[in-house]
Amino acid sequence: LRDTNEAFEIRFRWSEQEAIASEKGKKMLLAVLFANSEGNILVERFNGVPAEERLHWRSFLVKLGSENLKGIKNEELLVACHKSVYIVYTKLGDVSIYVVGKDEYDELSLSEAIFVITSALKDVCGKPPTERLFLDKYGKICLCLDEIVWTGLLENIDKDRIKRLVRLKPPTDF
């Protein structure tokens, strides 16, 4: 992509299910991505973004991060927006985190979401993660991410509840 504006001009073609959800008033978090310091995607979750547009978003977000995340402190938030699409991104250890939202998921909502995500990531890893530590804890990180964001909606923001939900213990009573 040539510049920031070109990437934001990508039109979102909603699937039938997501269009119905949108008509009912549910706005979505379009994407959550984790990338390493070289720009390789470690984890990605897209909601309402067609498969053919995901490559454009991946490359745009990595390019955006490579240009702007150099020299910032851990958890310092950066924001990009155009029309009704917002991106909040940050760096935590060797991992860059990007959250993309639309409409109701503006920069304030996304900053809350990214705060919960970084908090859960620090809890799982015990410290700001290196790429190796991130990959060692990959399964638990994915479980946490699924508890925080489910089908494009911010589900859980309570740190203690997320910890309880991802313990992976079988039920004790049947």
Side-chain angles (χ1 to χ4, degrees):
L1 300 174
R2 292 189 192 145
D3 63 328
T4 306
N5 291 332
E6 182 179 343
F8 281 111
E9 293 300 324
I10 295 173
R11 302 278 185 240
F12 295 103
R13 291 178 291 268
W14 297 76
S15 69
E16 186 174 324
Q17 177 185 6
E18 289 148 347
I20 291 168
S22 180
E23 287 174 15
K24 291 180 180 178
K26 291 185 178 179
K27 306 301 181 196
M28 302 176 93
L29 282 168
L30 298 174
V32 177
L33 281 91
F34 294 87
N36 65 9
S37 54
E38 289 83 37
N40 298 315
I41 304 297
L42 301 172
V43 175
E44 66 179 24
R45 297 284 197 283
F46 284 101
N47 299 291
V49 179
E52 61 271 8
E53 292 180 9
R54 293 176 184 181
L55 178 61
H56 297 293
W57 275 105
R58 283 183 206 107
S59 60
F60 169 72
L61 292 172
V62 168
K63 182 179 177 192
L64 183 69
S66 69
E67 293 172 357
N68 298 314
L69 288 174
K70 290 179 184 168
I72 71 160
K73 299 177 201 170
N74 275 345
E75 299 182 71
E76 184 178 343
L77 299 182
L78 300 173
V79 177
C81 64
H82 181 73
K83 296 184 181 175
S84 64
V85 177
Y86 302 92
I87 301 170
V88 175
Y89 56 111
T90 191
K91 183 177 172 182
L92 183 63
D94 293 342
V95 177
S96 303
I97 305 165
Y98 306 88
V99 182
V100 182
K102 185 176 170 131
D103 298 326
E104 290 175 5
Y105 284 104
D106 59 4
E107 63 270 21
L108 185 59
S109 299
L110 295 178
S111 64
E112 181 179 3
I114 205 165
F115 174 75
V116 173
I117 291 168
T118 56
S119 194
L121 186 58
K122 286 190 295 186
D123 285 347
V124 169
C125 295
K127 60 182 180 179
T130 61
E131 181 179 358
R132 174 149 182 113
L133 181 57
F134 184 94
L135 294 174
D136 286 345
K137 305 287 184 173
Y138 181 83
K140 196 152 189 178
I141 291 168
C142 288
L143 284 173
C144 285
L145 187 57
D146 288 343
E147 292 301 331
I148 296 167
V149 179
W150 183 250
T151 62
L153 301 173
L154 187 59
E155 285 287 317
N156 290 311
I157 59 172
D158 181 26
K159 190 173 163 177
D160 294 328
R161 181 182 166 112
I162 294 166
K163 280 183 184 179
R164 281 193 313 271
L165 291 171
V166 298
R167 281 196 183 133
L168 295 175
K169 291 184 179 176
T172 55
D173 47 303
F174 290 91

